[in-house]
Amino acid sequence: GELVPVPIEVQNDQGRSNQSYSESDGNHEDALDAWIAQRDALIVVTSNEVPGYESMTFHGDVMGITVLARNVVSNIGANMRQFIGGEVGAYVKMLTDGRKVALTRMRSEALRCGANAVIAMRLDANQISDVMTELIAYGTAVTIRPRNEPHQAE
């Protein structure tokens, strides 16, 4: 089955409770997309800063990883495409879904440590064997605030 997020409660570094998500087997293809869309409060950027914001606290690196295995049927279809050309739809779907899983795991880790943003996010893919691919999303978890917002004592 596909991985879908389910709510869990976690304690961040300051002992405050955050709602986070873990993956669970299920057949709800849109659930992962919906969860990611709801995570607008967690800003993820590929740049080293978020325009208009300043980083207040650095929580360290966060990552999400998944390993995908291609099935025999997909491999046969891909081999046929070598001769006739074109996009291999099964691989595109597998990699798109894997990307979402890796990003969800990275976001969940960032939320767990109390961050509200991830900067310098990167997505990398590596072939582990002839039939397995690793996808990893990683970045730096930070707490940010708008530049013009006054400092508040915690």
Side-chain angles (χ1 to χ4, degrees):
E2 294 182 35
L3 295 176
V4 295
V6 292
I8 57 172
E9 287 292 319
V10 295
Q11 295 287 319
N12 64 22
D13 293 340
Q14 292 79 34
R16 291 184 226 134
S17 180
N18 283 345
Q19 187 175 31
S20 185
Y21 289 78
S22 176
E23 292 88 24
S24 172
D25 285 330
N27 293 320
H28 308 286
E29 185 171 318
D30 295 331
L32 191 56
D33 291 330
W35 181 81
I36 290 171
Q38 292 172 1
R39 301 290 25 114
D40 287 339
L42 183 76
I43 297 171
V44 178
V45 296
T46 57
S47 58
N48 290 331
E49 60 182 40
V50 180
Y53 289 81
E54 63 182 317
S55 297
M56 301 301 296
T57 307
F58 288 83
H59 300 282
D61 63 321
V62 289
M63 73 172 176
I65 188 170
T66 188
V67 176
L68 309 168
R70 293 170 278 205
N71 64 45
V72 175
V73 175
S74 293
N75 285 337
I76 291 170
N79 287 333
M80 297 291 280
R81 285 286 178 194
Q82 288 179 3
F83 297 110
I84 59 175
E87 186 174 83
V88 183
Y91 286 176
V92 171
K93 179 168 178 15
M94 179 184 69
L95 290 171
T96 300
D97 291 345
R99 177 184 179 274
K100 291 176 186 176
V101 170
L103 284 168
T104 297
R105 289 177 178 168
M106 181 199 67
R107 289 171 181 260
S108 184
E109 189 174 331
L111 290 169
R112 251 187 234 108
C113 67
N116 65 357
V118 175
I119 59 173
M121 191 283 294
R122 300 292 183 263
L123 188 64
D124 196 9
N126 299 297
Q127 191 165 341
I128 295 176
S129 70
D130 288 340
V131 295
M132 285 190 275
T133 302
E134 167 198 55
L135 288 173
I136 181 169
Y138 59 96
T140 303
V142 295
T143 299
I144 60 173
R145 70 174 178 91
R147 288 199 193 282
N148 298 331
E149 188 177 287
H151 292 278
Q152 294 180 351
E154 293 189 30

